[in-house]
Amino acid sequence: MQNQKLLQSYNMAGLFTLSLRLVIGWTYFSAFWRRLILENKLDPETSGYIGEKFNHFLPNALLIKPIIEHLVSNPDSLWWAMATFTIIEAIVGLCIMLGLFTRLMSIGVFSLAMGILLGSGWLGTTCLDEWQIGVLGIASGFTLFLSGSGKYSLDYLLLKKEFKITNFKYFNWLGSGVLKIKLNILHRIVLIGSISILFITLFTNQYFHGGVWGTLHNKSVKPKIEIKHTEIINNTLSFQVFRVEGADVYGSFLIGINLSDSKRNSIIELDGKALSKFPKENIHNQYVTKVKNGKHSMIIPLGAKAKLLIKEEKLSTLPKGEYHLTLTDISGATWSDIIKL
């Protein structure tokens, strides 16, 4: 009698999460739908390639930055990873909507959401888009694991019809039905799990956006470029640019590169027109998202890293001293570095 009441309680819990299951399921299945059915975003040669979007996560990712950097530095590995993620999202999303192996798929929801949170939780130009998707996905995955699916699910049908698979002793842990855990222990699991997810929510909100205390910040609004490894050797000025902040939907439009001496006398000055015709062989990109020539400027997408070379004979005769390299964005933002000869 007690087991029957417990089963009814789990079935009701699963029933109450039906709308959550359907929406979360579509959220993940739609990734597959968008990338392969509506448009092919797994083709590295087309605009909108999902690998470039993944590259945008790189500058400010939390914990998984080395993994992202390895993948975007190796295009073949990146393609396989994106294809694998897309297939996993399709399977997880469809099975969650159908209520098939709900608890196993809820672990998939939790894991995918954690990946979104750690990789792109800092993105979002108008609000905290990716962070919200990540934390809500984690909470939803945890909830669906606890509840399983109710009446409107394939798990329920399998249990009701007593198919052989339901006789597997771990089916309830993979599908739906009663979790064989003592109630007092289950209460602790729910409490500890919920508090842990709240901690992850508050920590990442603060880490990415300063959303708990201090000054709010949004790294998706203004472009920021880091300049490193600046040097002048013989007749060549070389430096590395790495775009680490700003909107992911469009690049930074570089309209000026200026090299001046300590008295700010200009030695080299390239405007937007010159940068739009910058020699492609002098742009050495490191990742799949590339620095490239635009119509009226040089375009530096979010997450792009490249070494730029500027060759001028006058550079080989520069006297020893301090020189200033300045990059200018169309927004008016500037970034500088100092070179000492």
Side-chain angles (χ1 to χ4, degrees), residues 125-182:
T125 51
T126 57
C127 61
L128 313 185
D129 305 332
E130 304 293 340
W131 174 79
Q132 291 174 340
I133 292 170
V135 294
L136 290 173
I138 290 171
S140 298
F142 181 66
T143 300
L144 290 174
F145 181 84
L146 293 171
S147 69
S149 296
K151 182 176 181 179
Y152 304 109
S153 70
L154 292 182
D155 282 345
Y156 182 86
L157 181 64
L158 291 173
L159 286 166
K160 188 175 182 180
K161 298 296 183 180
E162 297 183 350
F163 284 92
K164 285 186 177 180
I165 193 171
T166 61
N167 293 326
F168 177 54
K169 63 178 180 178
Y170 294 115
F171 177 81
N172 285 19
W173 288 94
L174 301 176
S176 299
V178 178
L179 287 175
K180 295 181 180 179
I181 307 175
K182 292 180 179 179

Short mmCIF file of all heavy atoms in Angstrom, two decimals, residues 125-182:
data_model
loop_
_atom_site.label_atom_id
_atom_site.label_comp_id
_atom_site.label_asym_id
_atom_site.label_seq_id
_atom_site.Cartn_x
_atom_site.Cartn_y
_atom_site.Cartn_z
N THR A 125 24.35 40.81 -24.59
CA THR A 125 24.49 42.25 -24.78
C THR A 125 23.43 43.07 -24.05
O THR A 125 23.71 44.11 -23.49
CB THR A 125 24.45 42.60 -26.27
OG1 THR A 125 23.29 42.00 -26.86
CG2 THR A 125 25.67 42.09 -26.99
N THR A 126 22.18 42.60 -24.07
CA THR A 126 21.10 43.37 -23.45
C THR A 126 20.71 42.84 -22.08
O THR A 126 20.24 43.58 -21.23
CB THR A 126 19.85 43.37 -24.36
OG1 THR A 126 19.46 42.01 -24.62
CG2 THR A 126 20.16 44.07 -25.67
N CYS A 127 20.86 41.55 -21.85
CA CYS A 127 20.64 40.96 -20.53
C CYS A 127 21.56 39.76 -20.41
O CYS A 127 22.36 39.49 -21.30
CB CYS A 127 19.17 40.56 -20.34
SG CYS A 127 18.58 39.33 -21.52
N LEU A 128 21.47 39.04 -19.32
CA LEU A 128 22.42 37.96 -19.06
C LEU A 128 21.96 36.67 -19.74
O LEU A 128 21.70 35.66 -19.08
CB LEU A 128 22.59 37.77 -17.55
CG LEU A 128 22.81 39.07 -16.74
CD1 LEU A 128 23.10 38.73 -15.29
CD2 LEU A 128 23.94 39.90 -17.32
N ASP A 129 21.89 36.71 -21.08
CA ASP A 129 21.26 35.63 -21.85
C ASP A 129 21.82 34.25 -21.55
O ASP A 129 21.11 33.35 -21.12
CB ASP A 129 21.40 35.92 -23.35
CG ASP A 129 20.85 37.28 -23.73
OD1 ASP A 129 19.94 37.74 -23.05
OD2 ASP A 129 21.34 37.87 -24.71
N GLU A 130 23.11 34.05 -21.86
CA GLU A 130 23.69 32.72 -21.77
C GLU A 130 23.77 32.24 -20.32
O GLU A 130 23.61 31.05 -20.04
CB GLU A 130 25.09 32.71 -22.41
CG GLU A 130 25.12 33.20 -23.85
CD GLU A 130 24.41 32.26 -24.80
OE1 GLU A 130 24.22 31.09 -24.45
OE2 GLU A 130 24.04 32.70 -25.90
N TRP A 131 24.02 33.16 -19.40
CA TRP A 131 24.08 32.79 -17.98
C TRP A 131 22.72 32.27 -17.51
O TRP A 131 22.63 31.25 -16.82
CB TRP A 131 24.51 34.01 -17.15
CG TRP A 131 24.46 33.75 -15.68
CD1 TRP A 131 25.39 33.08 -14.92
CD2 TRP A 131 23.41 34.13 -14.78
NE1 TRP A 131 24.99 33.02 -13.61
CE2 TRP A 131 23.77 33.66 -13.48
CE3 TRP A 131 22.21 34.82 -14.92
CZ2 TRP A 131 22.97 33.87 -12.36
CZ3 TRP A 131 21.41 35.03 -13.81
CH2 TRP A 131 21.80 34.55 -12.55
N GLN A 132 21.65 32.95 -17.90
CA GLN A 132 20.31 32.52 -17.51
C GLN A 132 19.98 31.15 -18.08
O GLN A 132 19.43 30.30 -17.39
CB GLN A 132 19.27 33.55 -17.97
CG GLN A 132 19.35 34.86 -17.21
CD GLN A 132 18.44 35.93 -17.77
OE1 GLN A 132 17.99 35.84 -18.92
NE2 GLN A 132 18.15 36.94 -16.99
N ILE A 133 20.32 30.93 -19.35
CA ILE A 133 20.07 29.63 -19.98
C ILE A 133 20.82 28.53 -19.22
O ILE A 133 20.28 27.45 -18.96
CB ILE A 133 20.52 29.66 -21.46
CG1 ILE A 133 19.61 30.58 -22.27
CG2 ILE A 133 20.51 28.25 -22.05
CD1 ILE A 133 20.10 30.85 -23.68
N GLY A 134 22.06 28.82 -18.85
CA GLY A 134 22.87 27.83 -18.15
C GLY A 134 22.33 27.46 -16.78
O GLY A 134 22.14 26.28 -16.48
N VAL A 135 22.06 28.46 -15.94
CA VAL A 135 21.63 28.15 -14.57
C VAL A 135 20.23 27.54 -14.55
O VAL A 135 19.94 26.64 -13.73
CB VAL A 135 21.69 29.40 -13.65
CG1 VAL A 135 23.14 29.84 -13.47
CG2 VAL A 135 20.85 30.54 -14.17
N LEU A 136 19.35 28.00 -15.43
CA LEU A 136 18.00 27.41 -15.49
C LEU A 136 18.05 25.98 -16.00
O LEU A 136 17.28 25.12 -15.55
CB LEU A 136 17.08 28.27 -16.37
CG LEU A 136 16.70 29.63 -15.78
CD1 LEU A 136 15.92 30.46 -16.79
CD2 LEU A 136 15.87 29.45 -14.51
N GLY A 137 18.97 25.71 -16.93
CA GLY A 137 19.14 24.34 -17.43
C GLY A 137 19.64 23.40 -16.34
O GLY A 137 19.20 22.25 -16.23
N ILE A 138 20.58 23.88 -15.52
CA ILE A 138 21.09 23.06 -14.41
C ILE A 138 19.98 22.74 -13.41
O ILE A 138 19.81 21.59 -13.00
CB ILE A 138 22.26 23.81 -13.72
CG1 ILE A 138 23.48 23.83 -14.64
CG2 ILE A 138 22.62 23.13 -12.40
CD1 ILE A 138 24.60 24.72 -14.13
N ALA A 139 19.22 23.76 -13.03
CA ALA A 139 18.13 23.55 -12.08
C ALA A 139 17.06 22.62 -12.66
O ALA A 139 16.52 21.75 -11.96
CB ALA A 139 17.51 24.89 -11.69
N SER A 140 16.78 22.77 -13.95
CA SER A 140 15.77 21.92 -14.61
C SER A 140 16.24 20.47 -14.68
O SER A 140 15.44 19.55 -14.44
CB SER A 140 15.48 22.45 -16.01
OG SER A 140 14.96 23.75 -15.96
N GLY A 141 17.51 20.27 -15.01
CA GLY A 141 18.04 18.91 -15.08
C GLY A 141 17.96 18.21 -13.74
O GLY A 141 17.57 17.03 -13.66
N PHE A 142 18.29 18.93 -12.67
CA PHE A 142 18.22 18.36 -11.33
C PHE A 142 16.77 18.01 -10.96
O PHE A 142 16.49 16.92 -10.44
CB PHE A 142 18.78 19.38 -10.33
CG PHE A 142 18.78 18.91 -8.90
CD1 PHE A 142 19.56 17.85 -8.49
CD2 PHE A 142 17.98 19.54 -7.95
CE1 PHE A 142 19.57 17.42 -7.17
CE2 PHE A 142 17.96 19.12 -6.63
CZ PHE A 142 18.76 18.05 -6.24
N THR A 143 15.84 18.91 -11.29
CA THR A 143 14.42 18.68 -10.98
C THR A 143 13.87 17.48 -11.74
O THR A 143 13.15 16.64 -11.17
CB THR A 143 13.60 19.93 -11.32
OG1 THR A 143 14.09 21.04 -10.54
CG2 THR A 143 12.13 19.72 -11.02
N LEU A 144 14.19 17.38 -13.02
CA LEU A 144 13.69 16.27 -13.83
C LEU A 144 14.27 14.94 -13.40
O LEU A 144 13.61 13.89 -13.51
CB LEU A 144 13.98 16.53 -15.31
CG LEU A 144 13.18 17.67 -15.96
CD1 LEU A 144 13.66 17.92 -17.38
CD2 LEU A 144 11.69 17.34 -15.96
N PHE A 145 15.51 14.96 -12.89
CA PHE A 145 16.08 13.71 -12.38
C PHE A 145 15.28 13.23 -11.17
O PHE A 145 15.01 12.04 -11.02
CB PHE A 145 17.54 13.90 -12.00
CG PHE A 145 18.18 12.63 -11.49
CD1 PHE A 145 18.70 11.71 -12.38
CD2 PHE A 145 18.24 12.34 -10.13
CE1 PHE A 145 19.26 10.52 -11.93
CE2 PHE A 145 18.80 11.17 -9.66
CZ PHE A 145 19.32 10.25 -10.56
N LEU A 146 14.91 14.15 -10.31
CA LEU A 146 14.16 13.78 -9.11
C LEU A 146 12.74 13.32 -9.43
O LEU A 146 12.24 12.35 -8.86
CB LEU A 146 14.10 14.97 -8.14
CG LEU A 146 15.44 15.39 -7.52
CD1 LEU A 146 15.28 16.70 -6.76
CD2 LEU A 146 15.98 14.31 -6.59
N SER A 147 12.08 14.00 -10.36
CA SER A 147 10.67 13.71 -10.63
C SER A 147 10.46 12.57 -11.60
O SER A 147 9.51 11.81 -11.50
CB SER A 147 9.98 14.98 -11.18
OG SER A 147 10.47 15.28 -12.48
N GLY A 148 11.40 12.43 -12.59
CA GLY A 148 11.13 11.50 -13.67
C GLY A 148 9.97 12.01 -14.50
O GLY A 148 9.58 13.18 -14.40
N SER A 149 9.38 11.16 -15.34
CA SER A 149 8.23 11.54 -16.16
C SER A 149 6.96 10.97 -15.56
O SER A 149 6.99 9.94 -14.87
CB SER A 149 8.40 11.03 -17.59
OG SER A 149 9.51 11.64 -18.20
N GLY A 150 5.86 11.62 -15.87
CA GLY A 150 4.56 11.16 -15.38
C GLY A 150 3.77 10.44 -16.46
O GLY A 150 4.34 9.77 -17.33
N LYS A 151 2.45 10.61 -16.42
CA LYS A 151 1.53 9.86 -17.27
C LYS A 151 1.83 10.03 -18.76
O LYS A 151 1.74 9.07 -19.53
CB LYS A 151 0.10 10.30 -16.96
CG LYS A 151 -0.95 9.55 -17.76
CD LYS A 151 -2.35 9.97 -17.33
CE LYS A 151 -3.41 9.18 -18.13
NZ LYS A 151 -4.77 9.55 -17.71
N TYR A 152 2.16 11.24 -19.18
CA TYR A 152 2.35 11.50 -20.61
C TYR A 152 3.82 11.32 -20.99
O TYR A 152 4.52 12.28 -21.31
CB TYR A 152 1.84 12.90 -20.95
CG TYR A 152 0.41 13.10 -20.55
CD1 TYR A 152 0.07 13.93 -19.48
CD2 TYR A 152 -0.62 12.43 -21.21
CE1 TYR A 152 -1.25 14.10 -19.09
CE2 TYR A 152 -1.94 12.58 -20.83
CZ TYR A 152 -2.25 13.41 -19.76
OH TYR A 152 -3.56 13.56 -19.37
N SER A 153 4.25 10.07 -20.97
CA SER A 153 5.65 9.79 -21.30
C SER A 153 5.79 8.33 -21.71
O SER A 153 4.95 7.48 -21.38
CB SER A 153 6.55 10.06 -20.09
OG SER A 153 6.32 9.09 -19.07
N LEU A 154 6.85 8.03 -22.44
CA LEU A 154 7.13 6.66 -22.84
C LEU A 154 7.59 5.83 -21.64
O LEU A 154 7.35 4.62 -21.59
CB LEU A 154 8.19 6.64 -23.95
CG LEU A 154 7.75 7.22 -25.30
CD1 LEU A 154 8.87 7.10 -26.32
CD2 LEU A 154 6.49 6.53 -25.82
N ASP A 155 8.27 6.47 -20.70
CA ASP A 155 8.66 5.74 -19.48
C ASP A 155 7.43 5.19 -18.77
O ASP A 155 7.42 4.03 -18.32
CB ASP A 155 9.40 6.69 -18.51
CG ASP A 155 10.85 6.93 -18.92
OD1 ASP A 155 11.36 6.18 -19.76
OD2 ASP A 155 11.46 7.88 -18.39
N TYR A 156 6.41 5.99 -18.66
CA TYR A 156 5.17 5.58 -17.99
C TYR A 156 4.53 4.41 -18.73
O TYR A 156 4.07 3.44 -18.12
CB TYR A 156 4.21 6.76 -17.94
CG TYR A 156 2.91 6.48 -17.22
CD1 TYR A 156 2.81 6.63 -15.84
CD2 TYR A 156 1.77 6.08 -17.94
CE1 TYR A 156 1.61 6.38 -15.18
CE2 TYR A 156 0.58 5.82 -17.29
CZ TYR A 156 0.50 5.97 -15.91
OH TYR A 156 -0.69 5.71 -15.26
N LEU A 157 4.55 4.49 -20.07
CA LEU A 157 3.98 3.42 -20.88
C LEU A 157 4.75 2.12 -20.69
O LEU A 157 4.15 1.04 -20.55
CB LEU A 157 3.98 3.83 -22.35
CG LEU A 157 3.39 2.82 -23.34
CD1 LEU A 157 1.91 2.61 -23.07
CD2 LEU A 157 3.60 3.29 -24.79
N LEU A 158 6.08 2.23 -20.66
CA LEU A 158 6.91 1.04 -20.47
C LEU A 158 6.65 0.39 -19.12
O LEU A 158 6.56 -0.84 -19.01
CB LEU A 158 8.39 1.41 -20.59
CG LEU A 158 8.89 1.81 -21.98
CD1 LEU A 158 10.32 2.30 -21.91
CD2 LEU A 158 8.78 0.63 -22.96
N LEU A 159 6.52 1.22 -18.09
CA LEU A 159 6.25 0.70 -16.76
C LEU A 159 4.85 0.08 -16.66
O LEU A 159 4.67 -0.98 -16.06
CB LEU A 159 6.39 1.82 -15.72
CG LEU A 159 7.83 2.26 -15.40
CD1 LEU A 159 7.82 3.57 -14.63
CD2 LEU A 159 8.55 1.17 -14.59
N LYS A 160 3.88 0.72 -17.26
CA LYS A 160 2.50 0.26 -17.18
C LYS A 160 2.31 -1.06 -17.91
O LYS A 160 1.60 -1.96 -17.44
CB LYS A 160 1.56 1.32 -17.75
CG LYS A 160 0.08 1.00 -17.53
CD LYS A 160 -0.79 2.15 -18.01
CE LYS A 160 -2.27 1.83 -17.74
NZ LYS A 160 -3.16 2.92 -18.20
N LYS A 161 2.97 -1.18 -19.08
CA LYS A 161 2.82 -2.40 -19.87
C LYS A 161 3.77 -3.51 -19.42
O LYS A 161 3.73 -4.61 -19.96
CB LYS A 161 3.08 -2.08 -21.35
CG LYS A 161 2.10 -1.08 -21.96
CD LYS A 161 0.68 -1.62 -21.99
CE LYS A 161 -0.28 -0.64 -22.68
NZ LYS A 161 -1.66 -1.15 -22.71
N GLU A 162 4.63 -3.15 -18.46
CA GLU A 162 5.57 -4.12 -17.89
C GLU A 162 6.44 -4.78 -18.96
O GLU A 162 6.56 -6.01 -19.03
CB GLU A 162 4.82 -5.17 -17.07
CG GLU A 162 4.10 -4.59 -15.86
CD GLU A 162 3.44 -5.66 -15.02
OE1 GLU A 162 3.37 -6.82 -15.47
OE2 GLU A 162 2.98 -5.32 -13.91
N PHE A 163 7.04 -3.94 -19.79
CA PHE A 163 7.99 -4.45 -20.77
C PHE A 163 9.21 -5.02 -20.05
O PHE A 163 9.51 -4.64 -18.92
CB PHE A 163 8.42 -3.34 -21.73
CG PHE A 163 7.36 -3.01 -22.76
CD1 PHE A 163 6.42 -2.01 -22.52
CD2 PHE A 163 7.32 -3.70 -23.96
CE1 PHE A 163 5.45 -1.72 -23.46
CE2 PHE A 163 6.35 -3.40 -24.91
CZ PHE A 163 5.42 -2.41 -24.66
N LYS A 164 9.95 -5.88 -20.75
CA LYS A 164 11.10 -6.54 -20.13
C LYS A 164 12.14 -5.54 -19.62
O LYS A 164 12.77 -5.77 -18.59
CB LYS A 164 11.75 -7.50 -21.14
CG LYS A 164 10.96 -8.78 -21.37
CD LYS A 164 11.74 -9.73 -22.26
CE LYS A 164 10.97 -11.05 -22.44
NZ LYS A 164 11.71 -11.99 -23.31
N ILE A 165 12.29 -4.46 -20.34
CA ILE A 165 13.32 -3.49 -19.97
C ILE A 165 13.06 -2.90 -18.58
O ILE A 165 13.98 -2.54 -17.86
CB ILE A 165 13.42 -2.36 -21.02
CG1 ILE A 165 14.69 -1.54 -20.78
CG2 ILE A 165 12.19 -1.46 -21.01
CD1 ILE A 165 14.99 -0.56 -21.89
N THR A 166 11.80 -2.85 -18.19
CA THR A 166 11.48 -2.27 -16.87
C THR A 166 11.85 -3.22 -15.73
O THR A 166 11.87 -2.82 -14.58
CB THR A 166 9.98 -1.92 -16.77
OG1 THR A 166 9.21 -3.11 -16.94
CG2 THR A 166 9.60 -0.90 -17.83
N ASN A 167 12.15 -4.47 -16.07
CA ASN A 167 12.58 -5.42 -15.05
C ASN A 167 14.06 -5.24 -14.70
O ASN A 167 14.54 -5.80 -13.71
CB ASN A 167 12.34 -6.86 -15.52
CG ASN A 167 10.85 -7.16 -15.64
OD1 ASN A 167 10.04 -6.65 -14.87
ND2 ASN A 167 10.49 -7.98 -16.62
N PHE A 168 14.75 -4.48 -15.54
CA PHE A 168 16.16 -4.17 -15.27
C PHE A 168 16.22 -3.39 -13.96
O PHE A 168 15.52 -2.40 -13.78
CB PHE A 168 16.73 -3.35 -16.43
CG PHE A 168 18.15 -2.92 -16.23
CD1 PHE A 168 19.15 -3.84 -15.93
CD2 PHE A 168 18.50 -1.58 -16.35
CE1 PHE A 168 20.46 -3.43 -15.75
CE2 PHE A 168 19.81 -1.17 -16.18
CZ PHE A 168 20.79 -2.09 -15.89
N LYS A 169 17.05 -3.83 -13.02
CA LYS A 169 16.99 -3.29 -11.66
C LYS A 169 17.34 -1.81 -11.57
O LYS A 169 17.00 -1.15 -10.58
CB LYS A 169 17.88 -4.11 -10.73
CG LYS A 169 19.37 -4.07 -11.06
CD LYS A 169 20.14 -4.90 -10.03
CE LYS A 169 21.63 -4.90 -10.29
NZ LYS A 169 22.38 -5.67 -9.26
N TYR A 170 18.02 -1.30 -12.58
CA TYR A 170 18.38 0.12 -12.54
C TYR A 170 17.49 0.98 -13.44
O TYR A 170 17.78 2.16 -13.65
CB TYR A 170 19.84 0.30 -12.97
CG TYR A 170 20.83 -0.32 -12.02
CD1 TYR A 170 21.63 -1.39 -12.42
CD2 TYR A 170 20.96 0.15 -10.71
CE1 TYR A 170 22.55 -1.97 -11.54
CE2 TYR A 170 21.87 -0.42 -9.82
CZ TYR A 170 22.65 -1.47 -10.25
OH TYR A 170 23.55 -2.05 -9.38
N PHE A 171 16.39 0.40 -13.95
CA PHE A 171 15.55 1.18 -14.87
C PHE A 171 15.01 2.44 -14.20
O PHE A 171 14.95 3.50 -14.84
CB PHE A 171 14.37 0.33 -15.39
CG PHE A 171 13.45 1.13 -16.29
CD1 PHE A 171 13.77 1.34 -17.62
CD2 PHE A 171 12.27 1.68 -15.79
CE1 PHE A 171 12.95 2.08 -18.44
CE2 PHE A 171 11.45 2.43 -16.61
CZ PHE A 171 11.78 2.63 -17.94
N ASN A 172 14.59 2.35 -12.96
CA ASN A 172 14.04 3.53 -12.28
C ASN A 172 15.06 4.66 -12.17
O ASN A 172 14.69 5.83 -12.12
CB ASN A 172 13.54 3.15 -10.88
CG ASN A 172 12.23 2.38 -10.95
OD1 ASN A 172 11.88 1.83 -11.99
ND2 ASN A 172 11.51 2.31 -9.84
N TRP A 173 16.35 4.30 -12.14
CA TRP A 173 17.39 5.32 -12.07
C TRP A 173 17.68 5.92 -13.45
O TRP A 173 18.20 7.04 -13.54
CB TRP A 173 18.69 4.73 -11.51
CG TRP A 173 18.59 4.43 -10.04
CD1 TRP A 173 18.25 3.24 -9.46
CD2 TRP A 173 18.81 5.34 -8.97
NE1 TRP A 173 18.25 3.34 -8.09
CE2 TRP A 173 18.60 4.63 -7.75
CE3 TRP A 173 19.19 6.69 -8.90
CZ2 TRP A 173 18.74 5.22 -6.51
CZ3 TRP A 173 19.34 7.28 -7.66
CH2 TRP A 173 19.12 6.56 -6.48
N LEU A 174 17.34 5.18 -14.49
CA LEU A 174 17.57 5.66 -15.85
C LEU A 174 16.31 6.26 -16.48
O LEU A 174 16.40 7.17 -17.32
CB LEU A 174 18.07 4.52 -16.75
CG LEU A 174 19.36 3.83 -16.30
CD1 LEU A 174 19.68 2.66 -17.22
CD2 LEU A 174 20.52 4.82 -16.28
N GLY A 175 15.16 5.73 -16.09
CA GLY A 175 13.89 6.18 -16.68
C GLY A 175 13.07 6.99 -15.71
O GLY A 175 13.38 8.15 -15.42
N SER A 176 12.01 6.40 -15.20
CA SER A 176 11.11 7.08 -14.26
C SER A 176 10.64 6.07 -13.23
O SER A 176 11.03 4.91 -13.25
CB SER A 176 9.92 7.69 -15.02
OG SER A 176 10.35 8.65 -15.96
N GLY A 177 9.79 6.54 -12.34
CA GLY A 177 9.28 5.67 -11.29
C GLY A 177 9.89 6.02 -9.94
O GLY A 177 10.52 7.07 -9.77
N VAL A 178 9.73 5.14 -8.99
CA VAL A 178 10.16 5.39 -7.61
C VAL A 178 11.67 5.24 -7.49
O VAL A 178 12.24 4.26 -7.93
CB VAL A 178 9.47 4.41 -6.64
CG1 VAL A 178 9.95 4.63 -5.21
CG2 VAL A 178 7.95 4.54 -6.72
N LEU A 179 12.30 6.25 -6.89
CA LEU A 179 13.72 6.14 -6.55
C LEU A 179 13.83 5.41 -5.22
O LEU A 179 13.22 5.81 -4.23
CB LEU A 179 14.35 7.54 -6.43
CG LEU A 179 14.58 8.29 -7.74
CD1 LEU A 179 15.08 9.70 -7.44
CD2 LEU A 179 15.56 7.57 -8.64
N LYS A 180 14.60 4.33 -5.21
CA LYS A 180 14.69 3.52 -4.00
C LYS A 180 15.68 4.15 -3.03
O LYS A 180 16.81 3.68 -2.83
CB LYS A 180 15.10 2.10 -4.37
CG LYS A 180 14.02 1.39 -5.21
CD LYS A 180 14.40 -0.03 -5.57
CE LYS A 180 13.31 -0.69 -6.39
NZ LYS A 180 13.66 -2.08 -6.78
N ILE A 181 15.23 5.26 -2.47
CA ILE A 181 16.02 5.99 -1.47
C ILE A 181 15.11 6.27 -0.28
O ILE A 181 13.94 6.64 -0.46
CB ILE A 181 16.53 7.33 -2.02
CG1 ILE A 181 17.29 7.13 -3.34
CG2 ILE A 181 17.42 8.04 -1.01
CD1 ILE A 181 17.72 8.41 -3.99
N LYS A 182 15.62 6.11 0.91
CA LYS A 182 14.83 6.44 2.09
C LYS A 182 14.45 7.92 2.06
O LYS A 182 15.24 8.77 1.65
CB LYS A 182 15.63 6.13 3.36
CG LYS A 182 15.87 4.63 3.57
CD LYS A 182 16.65 4.39 4.86
CE LYS A 182 16.88 2.90 5.07
NZ LYS A 182 17.65 2.64 6.31
#
